[in-house]
Amino acid sequence: VQLQASGGGLVQAGGSLRLSCAASGRLFSSAVINWFRQDPGKEREFVAAIRWSNSLTYYADSVKGRFTISRDTAKNTVYLQMTSLKPEDTATYYCARTTTPADKPGPSYSWGQGTLVTVSS
């Protein structure tokens, strides 16, 4: 199953964006879809995750209360609604499939291009 992230862009601080993560194939009930982000020169960090089976959600403390992750099973897509954006949210955002929330995939995982979010102050 390939995941494709999209929806990034340039937004002013305090603004909102919605990212999409579209899956090319069937997602099994054990799947967890995660959003990670990475700034150049920094480690890739966990942002949010959702269990495909029951929509249980998980968030990093830095985005709790501002970001909302959701899924549309009919469209095989996971969304990340980002509000009250801050300049420190600037990063390339990636989605990844795992079986445990917040766990980074192994070194052989193909992350794709991600989608760039730039928040101006």
Side-chain angles (χ1 to χ4, degrees), residues 97-115:
R97 178 174 55 97
T98 66
T99 55
T100 303
D103 261 7
K104 287 182 187 174
S108 64
Y109 187 82
S110 176
W111 283 92
Q113 292 184 335
T115 187

Side-chain angles (χ1 to χ4, degrees), residues 35-47 88-94 104 111-113 115-117:
W35 283 98
F36 291 87
R37 65 187 181 187
Q38 187 171 25
D39 231 357
K42 294 185 180 178
E43 290 279 324
R44 202 178 317 243
E45 65 172 356
F46 169 74
V47 176
E88 50 264 44
D89 294 317
T90 295
T92 299
Y93 284 70
Y94 302 86
K104 287 182 187 174
W111 283 92
Q113 292 184 335
T115 187
L116 178 62
V117 173

Side-chain angles (χ1 to χ4, degrees), residues 40-81:
K42 294 185 180 178
E43 290 279 324
R44 202 178 317 243
E45 65 172 356
F46 169 74
V47 176
I50 187 166
R51 289 193 182 276
W52 192 252
S53 60
N54 59 10
S55 286
L56 202 58
T57 58
Y58 308 82
Y59 297 95
D61 287 343
S62 58
V63 306
K64 210 170 285 185
R66 299 188 299 123
F67 291 10
T68 303
I69 189 170
S70 62
R71 65 156 170 62
D72 184 331
T73 55
K75 295 182 178 180
N76 243 20
T77 299
V78 169
Y79 302 99
L80 185 68
Q81 179 68 49

